[in-house]
Amino acid sequence: MRRVSGSILSWLCAVLCLGLAGIATAAPRIDRPFNDGWRMAVGDIVGAEKPDFDDAAWKSVTLPRAWNEDEAFKVDIHDLKGAIVWYRKRLVLPTNAGPAVGGKAFIEFEGVRQAGDVYVNGVRVGGHENGVTAFGVDATKALKPAPFVNVVAVRVDSDWKYKERASGSGFQWNNDNFNVNYGGIHRAVRLHLTDGLHQTLPLYSSLGTTGVYVWADRFDTRRGAATVHAESQVRNESDRPRTFRYRVSLRDVDGKPAGAFDGPAITLAPGETRTVSAQAPLKGLRFWSWGYGYLYAVTTELVENGAGVDAVVTRTGFRKTEFRNGMIFLNDRVMQVHGYAQRTSNEWPALGTDIPPWISDFSNGLMVQSGGNLVRWMHITPAAQDVESADRVGLPQAMPAGDAESDVTGRRWEQRIEVMRDAIVRFRNNPSILFYEGGNENISDEHMAELKAVRDQFDPHGGRAIGSREMLNSKVAEYGGEMLYINKSATKPVWAMEYSRDEAARKFQDDFTPPFHIDSPDYNRNQDSQAAEDVRRWFDYWRERPGGGDRVSSGGVNIIFSDSNTHFRGDNNYRRSGEVDAMRLPKEGFWAHQVMWDGWVDVEHPRSHIVGHWNYAPGVTKDVLVVSSADSVELVLNGKSLGRGVKSDGFLFTFKAVAWAPGTLRAVGRDAGGRTVSSDEVVTTGPAAALRLTPHVGPTGWRADAADIALVDVEAVDAQGRRVPTALDLVKFDVSGPAEWRGGIAQGDSKGGARPTQALASPTGNVVTKAPAAVDGVTSYAGASRGDDNYILSRDLPVEAGINRVALRSTLEAGKVTVTARAEGLEPATVTLDVAPPPAVDAPPPVSLARGPTPSTPSFKIRRVTVKPVATAAGSNPATVGLAMDDDEMTHWASDGRLANAWIEYRLDKPQVVDAVVLKLIGWRLRSYPLRVTLDGVTVYEGVPAKSLGYVTLPLKPVKGTRLRIALTGPTVDRDAFGKIVEITGARAGLDTGAEKVAAGGGLGIIEAELYRKP
């Protein structure tokens, strides 16, 4: 037996034994973080698993810690190298729990990238290879009792080309476009010490166990009542039969009792595993909702001879969901999706995914603050930290498993099933997950049925729809939606998986503000342009929202929320499509979304936002943009009215050629009755005179655990303390005290290399890729800043639009940290932060209840009513006319190509006014259709409908009739109206509008036609 000296043993017990014992007093089970006291070294080091290996020279770290975190946002995702990295930690077991008293010891890893092997005292006890899901190892037999110093060692291989050992197959999602390779133990670790009779962990592939499952049904949302169910997989690994009672108790967010109930007495034989359950109707419940992260602590306990022998606390919430009539119902209220497609990495500069939970709350809470009501994590299952954070802030989620851009077969498909199964078992108690995503692109119905069977086996009561991108006419998928376009449905909900893909750095504000940035190419925008594009793109979905007939759009998610170290196509070596930058500082699009999205469907709280600032040079005349949900907006400059703006795209008000004058520019939004409902203003500031520092720390303060982060904002302000929105000053930072500088991010290169600030468009305007068609590739526009280091880890950092933000990491030393910021010609600023020892026992992170419970009122007004024809005729191909109104966007009717026969006619049951025709036309994005609509021969519309990303609405003159005819009046012409929307490849994937199915010329092709009247 290996022993240690008294002094070392005392230190180890202080760090480990006492911390464990402090938790053990509440219940025999110990469940604690296992993140501190690790050492890390890069390289395939021979003998590093052995307990007597000398690791004194290795780097001390607190997990999670990727070995290459320094490169996050510094280099292109393709330049993030793979490597072998080792981690080692010492552990002295407590004497009153786990193996010391005949129980069990499990180590749970929330994730390693890519593959990990776990050793205890030199013996391999398990591992994991998929790089996505959590896994656990049973370390019971390999651990030795106190005072022995056990050694846990983990070898991680983060090779981009890693192959599964048993099959030789790679993993589809180990992909250098979207799955950033922050290698090593990049997620948290926990230690579980249990009795021999215990509830299992939800770690299916590694331990073969499913853990606890809590759900509710029989909801009465108005009265706050539901039946709550709990079940636990219980295993008896004792050497004798064990008889126990299953007890369930609930506590609310304030820690007050909220219900309790018992199951029957159960006896398990040695080695037996059984699922036990209990349920009871409860009243006075608060239901989890969007922006209302109401969670209960549900304790499931095994009680033997009147004493608790095992207790598990599951923090969960209860909510009612339905998916029908093309709509999503949450707590009996319709919710149109408006949120973000966010890379699962959710990463930060120079930190990657190595962040504490409060930072996840900070970031995910901003999504809710902007009006986001769904985050669609992309390609792989999110970290438990982000899933649990979304629970707390009230952010609904769509959870993928693991994929890239296509369906697969063989072992790679089996891997996807396994990841989905593990993710469902792990996260079926998290109320924020509303959707399981089976693929980032369509999969076969057979494959969808396999995933659905997994859902039905392991989460039959969770109220979650399973589906995939596309899958529009699937008979199995329970939701669908495209990536680039707008879809509608009268049955299962469809919502866009990604839209508004253009990029814009926060620094580049408009055409008149240094350093100046005119859109080039179209998708490489400035802030004014990006905000307007966000409005235009959202209006496509807003126009087709619930309340507009039988077929509706359930919304869409903007790609992305925060700038990302993943697939890009703009100037930089990272993606700048975020509505906040990589440090989560808002861009103009953030505020634009907050205006448009402040409601479940219809806007419920009117807002207005002036895009940009009001600091310009004399002589500047510019178009002023206001995003507003008001009916009209008046612009007032220094008390003088500039009139009302021209409204477009539902929310955008344009004031042409406004001559700048210093002072206050105010936007006043009014409703249809002329009442003021919202306002916003921007002012001209003085020149920058000083710097200002503002810190942000977690709810319990800054912890001295070598993992916690403090954020510090630096602003350039004028003499009145107002941020100067045009300031670009270079700030130099000094830090004293126990902290590690992690810095921030900015446009440019800390080495001072001079580069132009915009990329040139290709001569043809065509998208070029580095990879052949159907293979993921990065567009190869010559981004002028792709070689920059983006100031990562630099102590010198410029403000952009007058502000920037830096991060500091704590060490293991408590004390005071002083940050000083200096810039030439400006008064410096200093702030001092306290770093305190972490508490012995962590309290649960706080929840956000900011938006309040689900309102009981309707979320939308009926704007129009569907008019259903009783018969349909056509000039040609009459046998397929029903396909143009069949609620299936994968089918269509088309005429025979002769102009004289290019018409379709709908007969109504009685003479009536049809106020609008809504069409989805073959080739909707690029094909021009000259059309005439007549009602009983009277022309009620004539023109060329606008090209769109889906549907066009044709307003009709108010004429009564029974026969409505849509006719082509001239040849169709193809020319793309949205250029450069293609992102992954230059193939027709970006032009997938069905245009190839019907030749341009004299043919009329209709995917769906809808007739509407006013209510």
Side-chain angles (χ1 to χ4, degrees), residues 35-82:
N35 298 314
D36 59 327
W38 290 82
R39 291 180 178 271
M40 177 182 74
V42 179
D44 199 1
I45 302 167
V46 176
E49 78 281 6
K50 296 178 180 178
D52 57 355
F53 181 86
D54 184 3
D55 58 16
W58 289 18
K59 182 178 181 179
S60 296
V61 297
T62 299
L63 302 181
R65 189 65 57 88
W67 68 270
N68 56 347
E69 65 171 3
D70 289 3
E71 296 183 342
F73 286 91
K74 184 176 184 177
V75 301
D76 179 340
I77 182 175
H78 302 86
D79 295 329
L80 289 167
K81 303 294 191 296

Side-chain angles (χ1 to χ4, degrees), residues 650-778:
F651 298 93
L652 192 65
F653 294 81
T654 302
F655 298 82
K656 301 291 289 186
V658 176
W660 177 80
T664 299
L665 185 69
R666 182 174 175 81
V668 181
R670 296 186 175 90
D671 64 15
R675 294 178 292 271
T676 298
V677 293
S678 61
S679 65
D680 189 35
E681 67 177 34
V682 289
V683 299
T684 307
T685 72
L691 297 176
R692 179 170 62 208
L693 297 177
T694 305
H696 306 273
V697 297
T700 59
W702 194 11
R703 301 177 172 206
D705 60 5
D708 200 9
I709 299 295
L711 302 175
V712 179
D713 295 352
V714 57
E715 298 172 276
V717 299
D718 68 5
Q720 297 182 47
R722 301 172 297 187
R723 183 194 305 171
V724 180
T726 53
L728 299 169
D729 301 83
L730 182 67
V731 180
K732 298 180 181 294
F733 291 90
D734 293 313
V735 179
S736 62
E740 177 190 356
W741 176 261
R742 302 311 298 172
I745 190 170
Q747 296 289 299
D749 195 287
S750 65
K751 300 183 294 294
R755 290 181 174 83
T757 59
Q758 61 187 53
L760 300 175
S762 68
T764 62
N766 293 327
V767 173
V768 182
T769 68
K770 293 182 179 179
V775 178
D776 291 342
V778 175

Side-chain angles (χ1 to χ4, degrees), residues 97-106 138 140 193-198 237-238:
V101 291
K104 302 287 293 183
F106 303 97
D138 184 343
T140 308
L193 302 178
T194 74
D195 188 85
L197 178 70
H198 60 273
E237 298 196 54
S238 306

Side-chain angles (χ1 to χ4, degrees), residues 20-28 30 96:
L20 295 176
I23 299 174
T25 57
I30 288 176
N96 61 344

Side-chain angles (χ1 to χ4, degrees), residues 236-543:
N236 180 12
E237 298 196 54
S238 306
D239 58 2
R240 58 185 173 85
R242 305 286 292 272
T243 300
F244 64 92
R245 185 173 293 278
Y246 185 58
R247 179 173 296 165
V248 182
S249 59
L250 288 77
R251 291 187 178 272
D252 64 17
V253 291
D254 299 316
K256 298 177 181 178
F261 47 93
D262 284 5
I266 301 289
T267 299
L268 291 187
E272 185 180 358
T273 301
R274 192 186 307 178
T275 297
V276 301
S277 63
Q279 60 281 322
L282 298 178
K283 297 180 180 179
L285 294 173
R286 305 284 185 91
F287 296 124
W288 187 95
S289 187
W290 170 40
Y292 190 70
Y294 203 98
L295 300 178
Y296 289 88
V298 180
T299 300
T300 50
E301 189 174 15
L302 311 183
V303 181
E304 184 180 42
N305 297 324
V309 296
D310 186 71
V312 174
V313 179
T314 301
R315 207 174 187 206
T316 188
F318 308 112
R319 78 289 182 275
K320 180 183 178 183
T321 58
E322 292 180 274
F323 307 93
R324 56 180 171 83
N325 301 335
M327 295 182 287
I328 301 160
F329 293 78
L330 177 59
N331 300 330
D332 294 321
R333 198 173 204 241
V334 175
M335 182 181 78
Q336 186 185 31
V337 164
H338 40 70
Y340 302 98
Q342 177 77 339
R343 302 297 187 193
T344 295
S345 45
N346 209 14
E347 70 272 28
W348 288 69
L351 292 166
T353 55
D354 301 344
I355 57 171
W358 83 264
I359 293 284
S360 295
D361 290 359
F362 180 84
S363 178
N364 296 333
L366 283 171
M367 293 196 214
V368 177
Q369 185 182 334
S370 75
N373 64 13
L374 185 82
V375 57
R376 173 195 176 240
W377 303 109
M378 300 179 67
H379 295 286
I380 64 170
T381 305
Q385 180 167 302
D386 268 321
V387 172
E388 292 161 4
S389 169
D391 288 345
R392 293 190 293 269
V393 303
L395 177 62
Q397 304 181 72
M399 185 199 78
D403 70 359
E405 291 285 342
S406 60
D407 204 353
V408 288
T409 58
R411 178 58 191 149
R412 290 201 299 165
W413 174 248
E414 292 172 353
Q415 291 168 343
R416 284 174 59 166
I417 294 176
E418 291 163 6
V419 171
M420 178 62 81
R421 180 187 62 202
D422 283 2
I424 287 175
V425 169
R426 179 66 180 83
F427 296 129
R428 58 187 178 172
N429 294 318
N430 295 92
S432 54
I433 296 176
L434 303 188
F435 298 95
Y436 292 138
E437 181 178 285
N440 189 63
E441 195 173 45
N442 66 302
I443 59 177
S444 69
D445 260 6
E446 292 76 14
H447 281 173
M448 181 56 71
E450 290 183 59
L451 296 182
K452 189 175 180 180
V454 172
R455 189 275 312 268
D456 292 345
Q457 178 181 357
F458 293 103
D459 186 22
H461 309 293
R464 299 176 175 98
I466 189 164
S468 174
R469 204 182 94 202
E470 302 174 1
M471 307 298 287
L472 300 175
N473 64 346
S474 169
K475 305 303 181 185
V476 182
E478 296 167 344
Y479 74 94
E482 247 295 356
M483 182 170 70
L484 301 175
Y485 308 130
I486 293 87
N487 308 113
K488 297 168 68 175
S489 173
T491 54
K492 65 187 175 191
V494 293
W495 46 274
M497 308 301 177
E498 303 169 31
Y499 80 91
S500 201
R501 312 163 70 81
D502 295 356
E503 300 199 24
R506 189 174 60 80
K507 179 177 183 178
F508 302 128
Q509 300 190 64
D510 56 35
D511 297 348
F512 306 96
T513 303
F516 306 110
H517 188 284
I518 298 173
D519 296 353
S520 176
D522 288 350
Y523 59 70
N524 190 20
R525 298 181 180 273
N526 59 40
Q527 289 296 292
D528 271 21
S529 172
Q530 179 79 339
E533 180 70 4
D534 280 341
V535 174
R536 283 191 289 267
R537 295 286 67 84
W538 171 245
F539 184 58
D540 291 327
Y541 305 97
W542 167 256
R543 184 169 43 198

Side-chain angles (χ1 to χ4, degrees), residues 887-907:
D887 194 29
D888 185 346
E889 297 195 356
M890 302 300 291
T891 63
H892 68 275
W893 166 84
S895 64
D896 62 6
R898 290 180 290 177
L899 188 60
N901 298 335
W903 59 267
I904 190 168
E905 185 173 275
Y906 300 101
R907 184 164 61 86

